[in-house]
């Protein structure tokens, strides 16, 4: 057995050495290196190359290369060019000594390193660093000068709160990480960076609080990110779809936020934050169902008020799902459940309507979805006006034309307003899609179909996992320590226990498995069942 592992290790070492050899080294000729840069970048107009000469008797040529627009030009001029021009270099020094002198004293930049491969050179150049090449040496100096024009920190638009901080994430990953570090000034707040995407080489970072986050979940997040094999990553939504546990579900299994205080709070609870360069949304894993009905503002107000609001959010979520289906089932199959006077009024309204209740609801729901989508895509100045005026005009005209009844317009309006009350946009979209399935089930089976749909929905939610953590935690499986602390009920802050236990206690049987893409939890092996008496290792 030991000989087998020795052969395996020897083979891995040989593969590693071959991979290193494939990386082409930087040439000692400055002209050859400059020609390589021009050829590799297509002689692009935004690639700036400036040549200098250092030394007096036998000067050596030096080139400064950077990409305009993604660098801090002021830092290049003041801390690189001016520093090099103002320093005197001995003529008898070799190129290697000059490189060492430049890195030690000649450049006044905080972060400097040297590379000797073409791959590392171009990777650093595309990241916004400045490359310094010297004739006669095969090493390049990398100076961290990333910068350029970026969007300023503004108030988040998708997660608005009445009380709380007004700063939100931007498209710069360095800025986003710093916003969280300002709130958690702890050396245990660890950040790990990697590049994902064969062509885009997008910077991705995971952040977690060492000692609070479950180590197995952190390892699983790291493993799934490193297994991603894709050409490009342009937004955090790419990452979300590639690392989620269950792809065939309408419910989000990763939480995303553009609020630094929300991300900091979740990290303190034991979750892992995933930052993607170019995206103002930060992913949080693992996510649970009840988390999507909580707002960051919940922790800035009194506990009794927030508890009532949380119950209201859950109520509005179920109203947005089942309100049209209950109306369809009641008017089609179960008229005896409606008060007599109300039945007479509804029957009088539907006397001239040529469609059954299901078709009537389907027309109104699809029309409202079209208006809502049009309002989002239109310019802000006219988007809200189109959605509101369009809904009023079309609804009134449809009632007068006899296509739909006034009661159906009321039901659809209440459903839409209840859907807007859900704090998470992704969870609200899930409710919008599931609503049509409930409508069809109610049209076929009546209230029995609605009840059957609720049972199937509950079973589906209980079967979901988010990085091994049950999606309905702490409600199913029940966790008495956390149910009364910060789920449906938000206890006073002085009485709330450490919420990190909610994540820390989960995933004790987690293990990383060699997997190429997300699969359902049962086939993926995220959760291992406990061995029963008499079971063997094979079972």
């Amino acid at each position: 057995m030991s000989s087998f592992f020795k052969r395996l290790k020897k083979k891995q070492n040989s593969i590693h050495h071959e991979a290193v050899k494939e990386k082409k080294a930087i040439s000692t000729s400055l002209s050859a290196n400059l020609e390589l840069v021009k050829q590799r970048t297509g002689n692009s107009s935004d690639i700036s190359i400036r040549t200098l000469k250092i030394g007096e008797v036998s000067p050596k040529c030096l080139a400064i290369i950077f990409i305009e627009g993604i660098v801090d030009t002021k830092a290049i001029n003041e801390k690189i060019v001016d520093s090099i021009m103002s320093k005197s270099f001995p003529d008898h020094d070799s190129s290697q000594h000059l490189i060492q002198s430049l890195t030690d004293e000649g450049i006044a930049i905080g972060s400097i390193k040297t590379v000797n491969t073409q791959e590392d050179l171009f990777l650093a150049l595309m990241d916004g660093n400045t490359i310094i090449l010297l004739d006669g040496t095969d090493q390049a100096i990398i100076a961290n000068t990333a910068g350029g024009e970026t969007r300023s920190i503004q108030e988040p638009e998708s997660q608005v709160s009445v009380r709380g901080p007004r700063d939100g994430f931007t498209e710069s990953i360095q800025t986003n990480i710093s916003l969280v570090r300002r709130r958690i000034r702890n050396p245990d707040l660890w950040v790990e960076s990697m590049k994902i995407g064969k062509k885009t080489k997008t910077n991705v970072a995971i952040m977690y609080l060492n000692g609070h986050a479950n180590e197995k979940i952190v390892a699983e997040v790291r493993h799934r990110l490193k297994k991603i094999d894709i050409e490009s990553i342009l937004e955090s939504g790419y990452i979300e779809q590639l690392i989620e546990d269950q792809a065939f579900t309408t419910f989000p299994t990763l939480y995303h936020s553009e609020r630094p205080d929300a991300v900091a709070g979740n990290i303190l609870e034991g979750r892992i934050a995933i930052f993607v360069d170019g995206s103002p949304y930060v992913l949080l894993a693992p996510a649970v169902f009840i988390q999507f009905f909580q707002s960051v503002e919940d922790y800035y107000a009194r506990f009794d008020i927030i508890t009532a609001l949380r119950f209201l959010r859950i109520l509005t979520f179920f109203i947005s799902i089942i309100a049209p289906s209950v109306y369809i089932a009641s008017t089609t199959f179960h008229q005896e459940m409606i008060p007599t006077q109300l039945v007479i009024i509804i029957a009088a309204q539907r006397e001239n309507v040529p469609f059954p209740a299901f078709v009537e609801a389907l027309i109104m729901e699809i029309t409202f979805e079209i208006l809502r989508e049009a309002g989002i895509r239109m310019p802000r100045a006219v988007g809200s006006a189109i959605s509101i005026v369009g809904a009023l005009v079309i609804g009134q005209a449809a009632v007068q034309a006899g296509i739909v009844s006034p009661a159906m317009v009321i039901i659809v309006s209440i459903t839409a307003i209840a859907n807007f009350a859900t704090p998470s946009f992704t969870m609200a979209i899930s409710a919008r899609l599931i609503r049509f399935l409930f409508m069809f089930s109610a049209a076929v089976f009546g209230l029995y179909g609605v009840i059957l749909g609720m049972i199937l929905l509950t079973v589906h939610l209980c079967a979901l996992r988010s990085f091994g953590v049950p999606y309905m935690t702490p409600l199913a499986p029940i966790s008495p320590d956390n149910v009364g602390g910060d789920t449906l009920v938000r206890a006073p802050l002085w009485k709330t226990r450490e919420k990190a236990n909610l994540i820390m206690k989960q995933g004790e049987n987690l293990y990383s498995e060699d997997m190429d893409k997300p699969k359902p939890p049962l086939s993926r092996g995220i959760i291992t069942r406990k061995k029963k008496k008499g079971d063997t290792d094979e079972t």
Side-chain angles (χ1 to χ4, degrees):
M1 183 65 69
S2 60
S3 60
F4 169 77
F5 285 108
K6 288 181 180 179
R7 291 196 303 270
L8 180 61
K9 186 175 182 179
K10 186 177 180 180
K11 184 178 180 181
Q12 291 176 347
N13 291 334
S14 62
I15 294 174
H16 175 72
H17 290 311
E18 290 177 1
V20 172
K21 289 180 180 179
E22 289 179 358
K23 294 183 178 180
K24 296 182 180 180
I26 298 174
S27 174
T28 56
S29 172
L30 179 60
S31 59
N33 291 329
L34 294 180
E35 185 64 28
L36 174 65
V37 171
K38 293 178 181 179
Q39 182 181 0
R40 184 75 180 274
T41 59
N43 203 14
S44 300
S45 58
D46 60 341
I47 304 295
S48 180
I49 301 176
R50 180 175 180 179
T51 57
L52 303 173
K53 289 185 178 181
I54 57 176
E56 297 179 0
V57 179
S58 57
K60 292 185 179 296
C61 292
L62 177 145
I64 300 174
I65 308 171
F66 59 88
I67 300 178
E68 297 178 357
I70 63 173
V71 297
D72 187 351
T73 308
K74 184 178 180 180
I76 295 175
N77 293 330
E78 295 180 356
K79 298 182 179 181
I80 297 180
V81 178
D82 291 348
S83 297
I84 294 175
M85 296 296 293
S86 61
K87 182 176 176 57
S88 60
F89 298 92
D91 294 322
H92 61 273
D93 275 4
S94 63
S95 298
Q96 187 63 34
H97 288 163
L98 287 175
I99 284 286
Q100 189 66 33
S101 180
L102 285 171
T103 56
D104 293 342
E105 304 174 1
I107 302 174
I109 290 286
S111 177
I112 295 178
K113 65 178 181 179
T114 58
V115 297
N116 54 11
T117 63
Q118 298 178 12
E119 181 181 355
D120 294 336
L121 185 147
F122 284 105
L123 193 60
L125 181 64
M126 297 303 160
D127 279 343
N129 297 309
T130 298
I131 311 299
I132 302 172
L133 295 171
L134 184 65
D135 194 17
T137 179
D138 60 351
Q139 287 187 330
I141 299 176
I142 308 297
N144 185 7
T145 56
E149 295 295 331
T150 57
R151 183 170 64 93
S152 60
I153 298 175
Q154 300 174 352
E155 183 178 358
E157 296 184 0
S158 62
Q159 294 177 315
V160 181
S161 66
V162 178
R163 181 177 181 179
R166 296 289 186 241
D167 56 341
F169 289 126
T170 67
E171 286 73 21
S172 172
I173 188 172
Q174 292 84 2
T175 303
N176 296 342
I177 292 175
S178 65
L179 289 174
V180 179
R181 282 204 177 275
R182 290 177 183 176
R183 289 168 168 81
I184 306 178
R185 297 179 176 91
N186 194 317
D188 290 329
L189 186 64
W190 291 1
V191 178
E192 300 179 15
S193 300
M194 62 189 75
K195 295 186 182 295
I196 301 178
K198 295 179 180 179
K199 295 187 181 299
T200 59
K201 303 292 184 182
T202 306
N203 291 323
V204 178
I206 62 174
M207 175 185 286
Y208 58 94
L209 195 61
N210 185 43
H212 278 63
N214 189 294
E215 295 181 1
K216 295 181 179 179
I217 298 180
V218 174
E220 182 67 18
V221 172
R222 188 187 301 114
H223 176 74
R224 295 189 192 184
L225 289 174
K226 291 182 177 180
K227 293 292 290 184
I228 293 178
D229 185 14
I230 195 172
E231 295 291 325
S232 61
I233 297 291
L234 301 179
E235 214 274 336
S236 60
Y238 284 56
I239 300 292
E240 181 178 359
Q241 297 175 59
L242 293 170
I243 67 174
E244 60 186 358
D245 288 70
Q246 176 61 278
F248 299 100
T249 180
T250 60
F251 292 96
T253 54
L254 272 82
Y255 188 82
H256 67 264
S257 175
E258 60 174 339
R259 296 187 63 94
D261 53 341
V263 172
N266 281 275
I267 289 176
L268 292 172
E269 293 179 13
R271 292 185 174 88
I272 298 97
I274 304 173
F275 296 81
V276 180
D277 196 17
S279 173
Y281 291 94
V282 175
L283 303 178
L284 291 164
V288 294
F289 178 75
I290 198 65
Q291 179 183 357
F292 294 91
F293 299 94
Q294 298 174 353
S295 173
V296 67
E297 194 178 6
D298 293 357
Y299 305 97
Y300 306 148
R302 290 180 53 85
F303 70 94
D304 47 359
I305 298 175
I306 297 305
T307 299
L309 291 178
R310 285 187 178 180
F311 277 101
L312 180 62
R313 292 167 191 162
I314 296 293
L315 176 63
T316 55
F317 176 74
F318 285 104
I319 289 176
S320 65
I321 290 179
I322 66 174
S325 58
V326 170
Y327 177 82
I328 293 171
S330 301
T331 56
T332 306
F333 298 98
H334 310 282
Q335 296 88 350
E336 68 280 0
M337 298 182 62
I338 308 175
T340 304
Q341 292 183 350
L342 184 58
V343 169
I344 295 173
I345 295 173
I346 293 176
Q349 294 176 353
R350 291 186 46 78
E351 184 178 1
N352 296 324
V353 177
F355 305 110
F358 171 69
V359 177
E360 184 183 1
L362 197 63
I363 292 174
M364 287 302 298
E365 286 290 347
I366 293 177
T367 302
F368 188 82
E369 292 296 332
I370 293 174
L371 289 172
R372 175 154 44 187
E373 191 68 17
I376 295 175
R377 306 305 166 197
M378 292 294 292
R380 294 183 181 180
V382 296
S384 58
I386 288 177
S387 59
I388 296 174
V389 176
L392 292 175
V393 173
I394 292 178
Q396 184 65 26
V399 170
Q400 292 180 353
I403 298 176
V404 296
S405 62
M408 179 57 71
V409 175
I410 295 174
I411 293 296
V412 172
S413 301
I414 293 175
T415 303
I417 294 172
N419 189 258
F420 288 137
T422 304
S424 174
F425 180 72
T426 52
M427 184 61 71
I429 293 179
S430 301
R432 287 161 57 183
L433 295 177
I434 296 172
R435 184 190 309 152
F436 289 95
L437 299 179
F438 274 85
M439 289 167 54
F440 179 78
S441 180
V444 177
F445 302 105
L447 286 179
Y448 297 103
V450 177
I451 296 173
L452 179 62
M454 292 298 297
I455 294 174
L456 294 176
L457 178 62
T458 304
V459 172
H460 176 68
L461 289 173
C462 292
L464 293 178
R465 298 289 187 274
S466 179
F467 287 87
V469 177
Y471 195 58
M472 293 301 291
T473 301
L475 303 176
I478 191 70
S479 177
D481 293 338
N482 295 102
V483 168
D486 187 27
T487 51
L488 298 177
V489 178
R490 207 222 81 184
L493 293 179
W494 50 267
K495 193 177 181 181
T496 304
R497 297 181 179 181
E498 290 291 336
K499 294 186 294 180
N501 293 334
L502 179 66
I503 305 301
M504 285 291 291
K505 289 183 178 179
Q506 300 297 328
E508 294 180 354
N509 293 326
L510 291 178
Y511 66 94
S512 296
E513 187 181 46
D514 189 14
M515 47 195 122
D516 295 330
K517 59 182 179 179
K519 298 178 181 178
L522 296 180
S523 63
R524 184 168 189 156
I526 296 297
I527 299 297
T528 58
R529 69 180 182 89
K530 295 182 178 179
K531 290 184 179 181
K532 297 181 180 180
K533 189 175 182 180
D535 287 352
T536 61
D537 293 337
E538 295 179 355
T539 59

